[in-house]
Amino acid sequence: NVTLTVLSGTLEQVNADTRLLSLHIRVANLGTRSFYRTYYSDLRLIVDGVPRAPNDSLYEQVEKSSAREFDYRFNVPAATTRAVLRITDDDQADEIDLDIPAAGR
């Protein structure tokens, strides 16, 4: 009973080989659990089959019947135009396909 919604994303050129993808995500806890914790290990950005952890370690909680918004940042190769955001919770995984604008656009 937890939903994640990607609200927005931005790209920033880090160097010739790397861009920083920042995703602003809403975590809504619609369940009956007292807290849902968003851990560093809950999200992975899959690029060319390789899972990438967020750059920042996030340890927050979202109380039942409420929502909070968080920023997750990932380094991605500059040539990346497609990725998958994988969300894991209690051994269940869901994925969100992401189209990433080509560098220079």
Side-chain angles (χ1 to χ4, degrees):
N1 291 329
V2 174
T3 61
L4 276 75
T5 305
V6 178
L7 299 174
S8 64
T10 60
L11 283 167
E12 179 182 330
Q13 193 74 37
V14 175
N15 56 42
D17 300 321
T18 306
R19 294 191 290 169
L20 179 68
L21 173 63
S22 298
L23 298 175
H24 189 66
I25 297 175
R26 178 181 296 132
V27 178
N29 180 358
L30 308 174
T32 58
R33 290 190 268 175
S34 294
F35 295 101
Y36 175 81
R37 296 184 182 195
T38 59
Y39 292 101
Y40 176 72
S41 60
D42 286 341
L43 294 176
R44 289 292 182 267
L45 187 71
I46 313 299
V47 178
D48 296 328
V50 178
R52 297 172 182 270
N55 294 357
D56 307 317
S57 180
L58 195 63
Y59 185 80
E60 299 285 342
Q61 52 194 23
V62 180
E63 295 186 25
K64 67 180 180 178
S65 301
S66 65
R68 291 185 62 193
E69 295 176 8
F70 304 99
D71 291 315
Y72 289 88
R73 294 171 187 84
F74 300 89
N75 286 332
V76 298
T80 300
T81 58
R82 297 207 33 88
V84 174
L85 184 65
R86 181 177 294 151
I87 305 108
T88 305
D89 182 44
D90 293 334
D91 297 324
Q92 294 181 344
D94 283 312
E95 296 181 342
I96 299 171
D97 291 322
L98 300 174
D99 290 320
I100 299 172
R105 288 174 63 192

